Amino acid sequence: MAMKMNSADNRTRSSVSIFIVVGLCCFFYILGAWQKSGFGKGDSIAVEITKQTDCSVLSNLNFETHHSGEAGVIDDPGSKVEVFKPCDARYTDYTPCQDQMRAMTFPRENMNYRERHCPPEEEKLHCLIPAPKGYVTPFPWPKSRDYVPYANAPYKSLTIEKAVQNWIQYEGNVFRFPGGGTQFPQGADAYIDQLASVIPIENGTVRTALDTGCGVASWGAYLLKRNVIAMSFAPRDSHEAQVQFALERGVPAVIGVLGTIKLPYPSRAFDMAHCSRCLIPWGANDGMYMMEVDRVLRPGGYWVLSGPPINWKTNYKSWQRTKEDLEGEQSHIEEIAKLLCWEKKYEKGEIAIWRKSLNAESCRGRQDDSRANICASKNPDDVWYKKMEACLTPYPDVNSPDEVAGEELKPFPQRLNAVPPRVASGSVPGVSVETYLDDNKLWKKHVKAYKKINKILDSGRYRNMMDMNAGLGSFAAAIESPKLWVMNVVPTIAEKKTLGVIYERGLIGIYHDWCEAFSTYPRTYDLIHANGVFSLYKDKCNAEDILLEMDRILRPEGAVIFRDDVDVLIKVKRIIAGMKWNTKMVDHEDGPLVPEKILVAVKQYWTVGENNSTSSV
């Protein structure tokens, strides 16, 4: 009898321990169902109770911001975990793959030294990047467009170097961004109005834009109110914190440069590309940089060049260059544009605008041009660490001279949920129209569940969001709002190459390998969504490294949503326990019997030399 009782007790303890490990929020309800129904008979009762109980609301996980307070409580305090210590204060703005000291060891030719050069395994930091003293949550959008707290990016060099260009001004404890730029000292709005007289910016035809050499991204910042979203990039160079300022303002941006490797974007991604005195030698290397812009520009898309050498006859003295030099540069640009089948639509003052042809049929002449070197690669989207080449990316085939190669897109926002041409044509293996529609439906359901977990998800509290494994972009589509934007990351090891689909939906994104650091400054994202990331990278690299990188780019008191199999999340949760994050495991919205779970986390607030927190579990 005693043996039978002990056996029953063991079975009971085993059942209970399973639920504790899984961390289900409805544990006591389900346990009660199991105890009342007997072993092996509680499934239907547990499911019914789950339907009646809102298990997803986490009343004791605080998503609000406070900026100071006592240390939080880590789940399972009895278990031993590795505690990650803060990095030295000098790493406050550390960007691993654009580290200045490492960069100087690489050749300067073609900006090679400004490209990604990531540290080897033995040089990776295994500590937590601290926030600077006095760090505060950025102002909510749209105030953040114009004001950035000085403590978050305490660098004044741009206020001096760009003082006459109306870029940035220092006012007490904040930086103010008047919306000016080198080529638009009267403000970005007036500049964009001039572009809009030629380019259909206002009607949703132009939705995605690329800003090369973006500065503090005022062009992209002011496009947002016109429903145009720009992917802005600039190198980490002598002008401190350009990209950091952009992201502090709530504007999409990454550290990047046109150098020796291809841009991490798919072909035919952008409706418009822009260079405002970006100092890129467009005519160099047989037009290689213009050809790379052509690769990522949609048929019928626009390229804007403002500044040197445009209008060189008037400005050669102020630019301190000779007439011959500038005339030769512009002539070379014009020749390459002609080879690319770009038609000049506008030139006035220092602004010139070209439009890319709709298809190859409308530019038959380049087929016979001896300089028309067609790219040998059959996959123009295969770009990760691939050498940039001076070659022409072929257009997709068309049936008539008036047809848009790759198919014409609907205006935004209609294109957000319309079937993208790459899906309709079957050019993405494994993705059909049916699977695309199902994916949209599924993520609307998931996002609805997320909003129950975190009721301020789309309130404006989180401005800069990242989806680490974006798939078809359906998470971003489901949460789309003027209050926020999503950086859709398609891992380079993902089975389906879907970034082109994401851009056809009017969203932005980038290719990336999560075994390496992301091209951004610390503390630049408010919320990170990680769906299946750790299952995808199992046996590819250390989960610890990925989590430390997430911690680097996440703001203090920022949130993370993990979605993965429960056994994966248990391992992830154990690592997080040593990272100054607070976590809770939540059931899948379909109930506790689904092995996929949701792990939600809030990064604690702490700064250099401090160990404090306000987001308690």
mmCIF file with all atom_site columns, all heavy atoms in Angstrom, residues 106-121:
data_model
loop_
_atom_site.group_PDB
_atom_site.id
_atom_site.type_symbol
_atom_site.label_atom_id
_atom_site.label_alt_id
_atom_site.label_comp_id
_atom_site.label_asym_id
_atom_site.label_entity_id
_atom_site.label_seq_id
_atom_site.pdbx_PDB_ins_code
_atom_site.Cartn_x
_atom_site.Cartn_y
_atom_site.Cartn_z
_atom_site.occupancy
_atom_site.B_iso_or_equiv
_atom_site.pdbx_formal_charge
_atom_site.auth_seq_id
_atom_site.auth_comp_id
_atom_site.auth_asym_id
_atom_site.auth_atom_id
_atom_site.pdbx_PDB_model_num
ATOM 1   N N   . PHE A 1 106 ? 42.063 47.733 -42.054 1.00 0.00 ? 106 PHE A N   1
ATOM 2   C CA  . PHE A 1 106 ? 41.648 47.289 -43.384 1.00 0.00 ? 106 PHE A CA  1
ATOM 3   C C   . PHE A 1 106 ? 41.936 48.369 -44.430 1.00 0.00 ? 106 PHE A C   1
ATOM 4   O O   . PHE A 1 106 ? 42.079 49.551 -44.092 1.00 0.00 ? 106 PHE A O   1
ATOM 5   C CB  . PHE A 1 106 ? 40.159 46.941 -43.377 1.00 0.00 ? 106 PHE A CB  1
ATOM 6   C CG  . PHE A 1 106 ? 39.853 45.667 -42.647 1.00 0.00 ? 106 PHE A CG  1
ATOM 7   C CD1 . PHE A 1 106 ? 39.628 45.666 -41.272 1.00 0.00 ? 106 PHE A CD1 1
ATOM 8   C CD2 . PHE A 1 106 ? 39.820 44.459 -43.317 1.00 0.00 ? 106 PHE A CD2 1
ATOM 9   C CE1 . PHE A 1 106 ? 39.359 44.495 -40.593 1.00 0.00 ? 106 PHE A CE1 1
ATOM 10  C CE2 . PHE A 1 106 ? 39.551 43.275 -42.647 1.00 0.00 ? 106 PHE A CE2 1
ATOM 11  C CZ  . PHE A 1 106 ? 39.321 43.287 -41.286 1.00 0.00 ? 106 PHE A CZ  1
ATOM 12  N N   . PRO A 1 107 ? 42.023 47.975 -45.704 1.00 0.00 ? 107 PRO A N   1
ATOM 13  C CA  . PRO A 1 107 ? 42.357 48.941 -46.757 1.00 0.00 ? 107 PRO A CA  1
ATOM 14  C C   . PRO A 1 107 ? 41.305 50.045 -46.855 1.00 0.00 ? 107 PRO A C   1
ATOM 15  O O   . PRO A 1 107 ? 40.123 49.822 -46.646 1.00 0.00 ? 107 PRO A O   1
ATOM 16  C CB  . PRO A 1 107 ? 42.352 48.081 -48.038 1.00 0.00 ? 107 PRO A CB  1
ATOM 17  C CG  . PRO A 1 107 ? 42.500 46.676 -47.581 1.00 0.00 ? 107 PRO A CG  1
ATOM 18  C CD  . PRO A 1 107 ? 41.867 46.605 -46.237 1.00 0.00 ? 107 PRO A CD  1
ATOM 19  N N   . ARG A 1 108 ? 41.778 51.230 -47.191 1.00 0.00 ? 108 ARG A N   1
ATOM 20  C CA  . ARG A 1 108 ? 40.877 52.366 -47.349 1.00 0.00 ? 108 ARG A CA  1
ATOM 21  C C   . ARG A 1 108 ? 40.274 52.424 -48.748 1.00 0.00 ? 108 ARG A C   1
ATOM 22  O O   . ARG A 1 108 ? 39.295 53.149 -48.966 1.00 0.00 ? 108 ARG A O   1
ATOM 23  C CB  . ARG A 1 108 ? 41.609 53.673 -47.053 1.00 0.00 ? 108 ARG A CB  1
ATOM 24  C CG  . ARG A 1 108 ? 41.979 53.802 -45.581 1.00 0.00 ? 108 ARG A CG  1
ATOM 25  C CD  . ARG A 1 108 ? 42.586 55.156 -45.252 1.00 0.00 ? 108 ARG A CD  1
ATOM 26  N NE  . ARG A 1 108 ? 42.739 55.281 -43.804 1.00 0.00 ? 108 ARG A NE  1
ATOM 27  C CZ  . ARG A 1 108 ? 42.135 56.203 -43.067 1.00 0.00 ? 108 ARG A CZ  1
ATOM 28  N NH1 . ARG A 1 108 ? 41.332 57.077 -43.621 1.00 0.00 ? 108 ARG A NH1 1
ATOM 29  N NH2 . ARG A 1 108 ? 42.327 56.256 -41.764 1.00 0.00 ? 108 ARG A NH2 1
ATOM 30  N N   . GLU A 1 109 ? 40.822 51.697 -49.675 1.00 0.00 ? 109 GLU A N   1
ATOM 31  C CA  . GLU A 1 109 ? 40.334 51.717 -51.044 1.00 0.00 ? 109 GLU A CA  1
ATOM 32  C C   . GLU A 1 109 ? 38.870 51.285 -51.110 1.00 0.00 ? 109 GLU A C   1
ATOM 33  O O   . GLU A 1 109 ? 38.473 50.286 -50.504 1.00 0.00 ? 109 GLU A O   1
ATOM 34  C CB  . GLU A 1 109 ? 41.186 50.778 -51.909 1.00 0.00 ? 109 GLU A CB  1
ATOM 35  C CG  . GLU A 1 109 ? 40.822 50.812 -53.386 1.00 0.00 ? 109 GLU A CG  1
ATOM 36  C CD  . GLU A 1 109 ? 41.676 49.849 -54.194 1.00 0.00 ? 109 GLU A CD  1
ATOM 37  O OE1 . GLU A 1 109 ? 42.458 49.086 -53.583 1.00 0.00 ? 109 GLU A OE1 1
ATOM 38  O OE2 . GLU A 1 109 ? 41.548 49.858 -55.422 1.00 0.00 ? 109 GLU A OE2 1
ATOM 39  N N   . ASN A 1 110 ? 38.062 52.072 -51.821 1.00 0.00 ? 110 ASN A N   1
ATOM 40  C CA  . ASN A 1 110 ? 36.636 51.776 -52.000 1.00 0.00 ? 110 ASN A CA  1
ATOM 41  C C   . ASN A 1 110 ? 35.896 51.601 -50.676 1.00 0.00 ? 110 ASN A C   1
ATOM 42  O O   . ASN A 1 110 ? 34.945 50.822 -50.576 1.00 0.00 ? 110 ASN A O   1
ATOM 43  C CB  . ASN A 1 110 ? 36.436 50.532 -52.875 1.00 0.00 ? 110 ASN A CB  1
ATOM 44  C CG  . ASN A 1 110 ? 36.871 50.762 -54.302 1.00 0.00 ? 110 ASN A CG  1
ATOM 45  O OD1 . ASN A 1 110 ? 36.818 51.883 -54.805 1.00 0.00 ? 110 ASN A OD1 1
ATOM 46  N ND2 . ASN A 1 110 ? 37.335 49.715 -54.963 1.00 0.00 ? 110 ASN A ND2 1
ATOM 47  N N   . MET A 1 111 ? 36.338 52.320 -49.664 1.00 0.00 ? 111 MET A N   1
ATOM 48  C CA  . MET A 1 111 ? 35.657 52.320 -48.349 1.00 0.00 ? 111 MET A CA  1
ATOM 49  C C   . MET A 1 111 ? 35.620 50.949 -47.688 1.00 0.00 ? 111 MET A C   1
ATOM 50  O O   . MET A 1 111 ? 34.781 50.691 -46.824 1.00 0.00 ? 111 MET A O   1
ATOM 51  C CB  . MET A 1 111 ? 34.231 52.867 -48.499 1.00 0.00 ? 111 MET A CB  1
ATOM 52  C CG  . MET A 1 111 ? 34.163 54.308 -48.948 1.00 0.00 ? 111 MET A CG  1
ATOM 53  S SD  . MET A 1 111 ? 34.793 55.465 -47.704 1.00 0.00 ? 111 MET A SD  1
ATOM 54  C CE  . MET A 1 111 ? 33.420 55.512 -46.548 1.00 0.00 ? 111 MET A CE  1
ATOM 55  N N   . ASN A 1 112 ? 36.559 50.092 -48.054 1.00 0.00 ? 112 ASN A N   1
ATOM 56  C CA  . ASN A 1 112 ? 36.580 48.753 -47.463 1.00 0.00 ? 112 ASN A CA  1
ATOM 57  C C   . ASN A 1 112 ? 36.632 48.812 -45.938 1.00 0.00 ? 112 ASN A C   1
ATOM 58  O O   . ASN A 1 112 ? 35.960 48.045 -45.243 1.00 0.00 ? 112 ASN A O   1
ATOM 59  C CB  . ASN A 1 112 ? 37.775 47.962 -48.009 1.00 0.00 ? 112 ASN A CB  1
ATOM 60  C CG  . ASN A 1 112 ? 37.887 46.575 -47.405 1.00 0.00 ? 112 ASN A CG  1
ATOM 61  O OD1 . ASN A 1 112 ? 38.386 46.409 -46.302 1.00 0.00 ? 112 ASN A OD1 1
ATOM 62  N ND2 . ASN A 1 112 ? 37.405 45.581 -48.124 1.00 0.00 ? 112 ASN A ND2 1
ATOM 63  N N   . TYR A 1 113 ? 37.410 49.740 -45.406 1.00 0.00 ? 113 TYR A N   1
ATOM 64  C CA  . TYR A 1 113 ? 37.588 49.797 -43.956 1.00 0.00 ? 113 TYR A CA  1
ATOM 65  C C   . TYR A 1 113 ? 36.324 50.229 -43.218 1.00 0.00 ? 113 TYR A C   1
ATOM 66  O O   . TYR A 1 113 ? 36.205 50.021 -42.011 1.00 0.00 ? 113 TYR A O   1
ATOM 67  C CB  . TYR A 1 113 ? 38.768 50.701 -43.592 1.00 0.00 ? 113 TYR A CB  1
ATOM 68  C CG  . TYR A 1 113 ? 38.522 52.191 -43.734 1.00 0.00 ? 113 TYR A CG  1
ATOM 69  C CD1 . TYR A 1 113 ? 38.565 53.036 -42.625 1.00 0.00 ? 113 TYR A CD1 1
ATOM 70  C CD2 . TYR A 1 113 ? 38.264 52.776 -44.975 1.00 0.00 ? 113 TYR A CD2 1
ATOM 71  C CE1 . TYR A 1 113 ? 38.360 54.407 -42.743 1.00 0.00 ? 113 TYR A CE1 1
ATOM 72  C CE2 . TYR A 1 113 ? 38.068 54.137 -45.108 1.00 0.00 ? 113 TYR A CE2 1
ATOM 73  C CZ  . TYR A 1 113 ? 38.110 54.950 -43.991 1.00 0.00 ? 113 TYR A CZ  1
ATOM 74  O OH  . TYR A 1 113 ? 37.904 56.309 -44.120 1.00 0.00 ? 113 TYR A OH  1
ATOM 75  N N   . ARG A 1 114 ? 35.373 50.831 -43.938 1.00 0.00 ? 114 ARG A N   1
ATOM 76  C CA  . ARG A 1 114 ? 34.114 51.247 -43.320 1.00 0.00 ? 114 ARG A CA  1
ATOM 77  C C   . ARG A 1 114 ? 33.037 50.156 -43.409 1.00 0.00 ? 114 ARG A C   1
ATOM 78  O O   . ARG A 1 114 ? 31.937 50.346 -42.902 1.00 0.00 ? 114 ARG A O   1
ATOM 79  C CB  . ARG A 1 114 ? 33.596 52.518 -43.984 1.00 0.00 ? 114 ARG A CB  1
ATOM 80  C CG  . ARG A 1 114 ? 34.468 53.746 -43.778 1.00 0.00 ? 114 ARG A CG  1
ATOM 81  C CD  . ARG A 1 114 ? 34.504 54.153 -42.324 1.00 0.00 ? 114 ARG A CD  1
ATOM 82  N NE  . ARG A 1 114 ? 35.239 55.394 -42.118 1.00 0.00 ? 114 ARG A NE  1
ATOM 83  C CZ  . ARG A 1 114 ? 35.757 55.775 -40.959 1.00 0.00 ? 114 ARG A CZ  1
ATOM 84  N NH1 . ARG A 1 114 ? 35.628 54.997 -39.897 1.00 0.00 ? 114 ARG A NH1 1
ATOM 85  N NH2 . ARG A 1 114 ? 36.408 56.919 -40.848 1.00 0.00 ? 114 ARG A NH2 1
ATOM 86  N N   . GLU A 1 115 ? 33.344 49.051 -44.040 1.00 0.00 ? 115 GLU A N   1
ATOM 87  C CA  . GLU A 1 115 ? 32.363 47.963 -44.168 1.00 0.00 ? 115 GLU A CA  1
ATOM 88  C C   . GLU A 1 115 ? 32.341 47.098 -42.911 1.00 0.00 ? 115 GLU A C   1
ATOM 89  O O   . GLU A 1 115 ? 33.032 47.377 -41.930 1.00 0.00 ? 115 GLU A O   1
ATOM 90  C CB  . GLU A 1 115 ? 32.689 47.133 -45.414 1.00 0.00 ? 115 GLU A CB  1
ATOM 91  C CG  . GLU A 1 115 ? 32.523 47.915 -46.710 1.00 0.00 ? 115 GLU A CG  1
ATOM 92  C CD  . GLU A 1 115 ? 32.787 47.087 -47.945 1.00 0.00 ? 115 GLU A CD  1
ATOM 93  O OE1 . GLU A 1 115 ? 33.886 46.511 -48.048 1.00 0.00 ? 115 GLU A OE1 1
ATOM 94  O OE2 . GLU A 1 115 ? 31.905 47.015 -48.811 1.00 0.00 ? 115 GLU A OE2 1
ATOM 95  N N   . ARG A 1 116 ? 31.541 46.041 -42.954 1.00 0.00 ? 116 ARG A N   1
ATOM 96  C CA  . ARG A 1 116 ? 31.430 45.121 -41.818 1.00 0.00 ? 116 ARG A CA  1
ATOM 97  C C   . ARG A 1 116 ? 32.705 44.292 -41.684 1.00 0.00 ? 116 ARG A C   1
ATOM 98  O O   . ARG A 1 116 ? 33.115 43.623 -42.622 1.00 0.00 ? 116 ARG A O   1
ATOM 99  C CB  . ARG A 1 116 ? 30.246 44.181 -42.004 1.00 0.00 ? 116 ARG A CB  1
ATOM 100 C CG  . ARG A 1 116 ? 28.893 44.829 -41.837 1.00 0.00 ? 116 ARG A CG  1
ATOM 101 C CD  . ARG A 1 116 ? 27.781 43.831 -42.147 1.00 0.00 ? 116 ARG A CD  1
ATOM 102 N NE  . ARG A 1 116 ? 27.857 42.653 -41.310 1.00 0.00 ? 116 ARG A NE  1
ATOM 103 C CZ  . ARG A 1 116 ? 27.372 42.555 -40.071 1.00 0.00 ? 116 ARG A CZ  1
ATOM 104 N NH1 . ARG A 1 116 ? 26.770 43.594 -39.534 1.00 0.00 ? 116 ARG A NH1 1
ATOM 105 N NH2 . ARG A 1 116 ? 27.465 41.443 -39.383 1.00 0.00 ? 116 ARG A NH2 1
ATOM 106 N N   . HIS A 1 117 ? 33.313 44.342 -40.504 1.00 0.00 ? 117 HIS A N   1
ATOM 107 C CA  . HIS A 1 117 ? 34.455 43.495 -40.178 1.00 0.00 ? 117 HIS A CA  1
ATOM 108 C C   . HIS A 1 117 ? 34.235 43.033 -38.743 1.00 0.00 ? 117 HIS A C   1
ATOM 109 O O   . HIS A 1 117 ? 34.555 43.738 -37.784 1.00 0.00 ? 117 HIS A O   1
ATOM 110 C CB  . HIS A 1 117 ? 35.771 44.249 -40.326 1.00 0.00 ? 117 HIS A CB  1
ATOM 111 C CG  . HIS A 1 117 ? 36.021 44.781 -41.701 1.00 0.00 ? 117 HIS A CG  1
ATOM 112 N ND1 . HIS A 1 117 ? 36.284 43.964 -42.777 1.00 0.00 ? 117 HIS A ND1 1
ATOM 113 C CD2 . HIS A 1 117 ? 36.019 46.055 -42.184 1.00 0.00 ? 117 HIS A CD2 1
ATOM 114 C CE1 . HIS A 1 117 ? 36.454 44.709 -43.865 1.00 0.00 ? 117 HIS A CE1 1
ATOM 115 N NE2 . HIS A 1 117 ? 36.285 45.977 -43.532 1.00 0.00 ? 117 HIS A NE2 1
ATOM 116 N N   . CYS A 1 118 ? 33.654 41.860 -38.592 1.00 0.00 ? 118 CYS A N   1
ATOM 117 C CA  . CYS A 1 118 ? 33.212 41.396 -37.273 1.00 0.00 ? 118 CYS A CA  1
ATOM 118 C C   . CYS A 1 118 ? 34.347 40.732 -36.508 1.00 0.00 ? 118 CYS A C   1
ATOM 119 O O   . CYS A 1 118 ? 35.253 40.136 -37.102 1.00 0.00 ? 118 CYS A O   1
ATOM 120 C CB  . CYS A 1 118 ? 32.039 40.433 -37.425 1.00 0.00 ? 118 CYS A CB  1
ATOM 121 S SG  . CYS A 1 118 ? 30.604 41.182 -38.244 1.00 0.00 ? 118 CYS A SG  1
ATOM 122 N N   . PRO A 1 119 ? 34.311 40.795 -35.187 1.00 0.00 ? 119 PRO A N   1
ATOM 123 C CA  . PRO A 1 119 ? 35.379 40.202 -34.380 1.00 0.00 ? 119 PRO A CA  1
ATOM 124 C C   . PRO A 1 119 ? 35.338 38.684 -34.440 1.00 0.00 ? 119 PRO A C   1
ATOM 125 O O   . PRO A 1 119 ? 34.254 38.087 -34.529 1.00 0.00 ? 119 PRO A O   1
ATOM 126 C CB  . PRO A 1 119 ? 35.061 40.701 -32.961 1.00 0.00 ? 119 PRO A CB  1
ATOM 127 C CG  . PRO A 1 119 ? 33.588 40.963 -32.972 1.00 0.00 ? 119 PRO A CG  1
ATOM 128 C CD  . PRO A 1 119 ? 33.271 41.439 -34.356 1.00 0.00 ? 119 PRO A CD  1
ATOM 129 N N   . PRO A 1 120 ? 36.487 38.031 -34.405 1.00 0.00 ? 120 PRO A N   1
ATOM 130 C CA  . PRO A 1 120 ? 36.504 36.557 -34.319 1.00 0.00 ? 120 PRO A CA  1
ATOM 131 C C   . PRO A 1 120 ? 35.958 36.121 -32.973 1.00 0.00 ? 120 PRO A C   1
ATOM 132 O O   . PRO A 1 120 ? 35.812 36.917 -32.042 1.00 0.00 ? 120 PRO A O   1
ATOM 133 C CB  . PRO A 1 120 ? 37.986 36.223 -34.472 1.00 0.00 ? 120 PRO A CB  1
ATOM 134 C CG  . PRO A 1 120 ? 38.717 37.451 -34.029 1.00 0.00 ? 120 PRO A CG  1
ATOM 135 C CD  . PRO A 1 120 ? 37.834 38.609 -34.421 1.00 0.00 ? 120 PRO A CD  1
ATOM 136 N N   . GLU A 1 121 ? 35.670 34.853 -32.880 1.00 0.00 ? 121 GLU A N   1
ATOM 137 C CA  . GLU A 1 121 ? 35.028 34.299 -31.691 1.00 0.00 ? 121 GLU A CA  1
ATOM 138 C C   . GLU A 1 121 ? 35.780 34.663 -30.411 1.00 0.00 ? 121 GLU A C   1
ATOM 139 O O   . GLU A 1 121 ? 35.177 35.039 -29.399 1.00 0.00 ? 121 GLU A O   1
ATOM 140 C CB  . GLU A 1 121 ? 34.930 32.773 -31.819 1.00 0.00 ? 121 GLU A CB  1
ATOM 141 C CG  . GLU A 1 121 ? 34.088 32.102 -30.743 1.00 0.00 ? 121 GLU A CG  1
ATOM 142 C CD  . GLU A 1 121 ? 32.622 32.499 -30.814 1.00 0.00 ? 121 GLU A CD  1
ATOM 143 O OE1 . GLU A 1 121 ? 32.099 32.697 -31.926 1.00 0.00 ? 121 GLU A OE1 1
ATOM 144 O OE2 . GLU A 1 121 ? 32.002 32.620 -29.733 1.00 0.00 ? 121 GLU A OE2 1
#
